[in-house]
Amino acid sequence: MTTTVRTRVAIVGAGPAGLILSQLLADAGIDSIVVDSRSREQIESTIRAGILEQNTADLLRAIDPDTRVDTVGHRHDGIELRFGDEGQRIDFPSLVGRSVWLYPQHEVLKDLLALRLGRGQDLRFGVTVDGVEGGESEHPVVFASDARGEHLRIEAEFLVGADGSRSVVRGAVSGSRADGYFREYPFAWFGILCEAPPSSEELIYSNSGQGFALISQRSPTVQRMYYQCDPSADAAAPSDAEIWDTLQARVPGTTLNEGPIIQRDVLRFRSFVAQELRRGRVALVGDAAHTVPPTGAKGMNLAIADVVLLADALRALLVTGDERLIDSYAERALDRIWKAQHFSWWMTSMLHVTPDASDFDRRRQRGELRTVASSEAGRTYLAEGYTGWPLATDSV
Ligand code: PHB
């Protein structure tokens, strides 16, 4: 059996990008449907990164009166850059007048799902997209099916792929799901969640002789930490004691509070930008359009910056019939995407130790870290990128 749904905008993917887009469209009186192949529980429990740029936090406050960004989340005014036995705090407010918020993505998602469902959004979980047609026309159609095998035909005026790095919609924009610009890295992150008090009030990004480590936080009783590992590492292999030894050795000068490890995972690193971000009446946002390595904490922020631009463009197109903003969407989004690609690559290459690093490479890297840490211009450059460049101003 096939059910047909007619709406103005079909959004594939109920991540931060898809949900925020549905809210911004609703604010402009534009109806949409959001479908996601995952269940609500899966979406709410997937552990992802946790840093929000100031603009991202401001946007969440503007669209959601019940956001918990200031209650469950915490403002962070700096990070520590650690290299060997040297360390430098990067103080964001004094350098750039901005801060970031540590607020994990799955908490953001709980807020956004409650917001959209509470406002009557047509939001369907467990719905997988089988194909897309008519992207070049004014009437794209999405063919999807749910867990019971029932078919859904969605007829819209515009289709948005907010469906993550394995995007199905990307094929309708780029011609092929894989077309784009890639970079692989010879390392990954071993991530843990542990039950322990915080070891530091702020994040520590540490470059040590043995490789990189990041000490992050989640709550007074749960912490998130990562260390650089081989991309083929098996998350189940090391014992808890081995994990703690590795982490402790990589943040000399700080004694980590240890505790039971309640989750462990290996995060692959990849930089990717899709060949095209929009074709006809189909556009990509977020991880469907690009992925960045997690070192610069840009992933979710970049997705939301895309959405702010696309929401403007769809308002103009669907309310007044003005095509200019949708025609320039890709170019304007790519300007920020490539800046964020560079920032994420730069933080990654400055802080990690490649397996084939020579003595020259190590000493040059130490020179780079000292340059950034000891110069106000260097610290400001880092603070500006980390806290986020301004969003398009006329948007929300
Ligand atoms: C995290 O807390 O999960 C986190 C923080 C900063 C990053 C990456 C991940 O750069």
Side-chain angles (χ1 to χ4, degrees), residues 45 48 54 66 72 75 105 108 118 169 178 191 213 222 264 298 302 330 339 353 361 369:
S45 61
R48 303 287 290 271
Q54 176 148 330
D66 297 322
V72 173
R75 194 182 82 217
Q105 182 166 325
V108 174
V169 177
V222 175
R264 28 162 97 202
K298 284 276 154 278
L302 196 54
K339 281 160 85 177
V353 179
D361 297 331
L369 283 157

Side-chain angles (χ1 to χ4, degrees), residues 185-216:
Y185 296 81
F187 36 75
W189 277 5
F190 197 102
I192 62 160
L193 271 180
C194 65
E195 282 170 356
S199 298
S200 154
E201 277 183 19
E202 292 180 339
L203 274 66
I204 304 175
Y205 286 81
S206 179
N207 168 285
S208 77
Q210 290 91 45
F212 171 74
L214 170 60
I215 309 306
S216 183

Side-chain angles (χ1 to χ4, degrees), residues 49-51 102 189 203 205 214 216 218 224 226 294-295 297:
I51 293 288
L102 181 66
W189 277 5
L203 274 66
Y205 286 81
L214 170 60
S216 183
R218 283 294 177 267
R224 182 83 163 132
Y226 305 91
T295 324

Side-chain angles (χ1 to χ4, degrees), residues 219-232:
S219 73
T221 53
V222 175
Q223 313 310 322
R224 182 83 163 132
M225 302 179 194
Y226 305 91
Y227 62 82
Q228 174 185 345
C229 67
D230 190 88
S232 64

Side-chain angles (χ1 to χ4, degrees), residues 54 56-67 69-70 101:
Q54 176 148 330
T56 305
D58 287 345
L59 179 71
L60 294 180
R61 290 187 202 101
I63 63 170
D64 181 6
D66 297 322
T67 177
V69 64
D70 296 302
W101 273 255

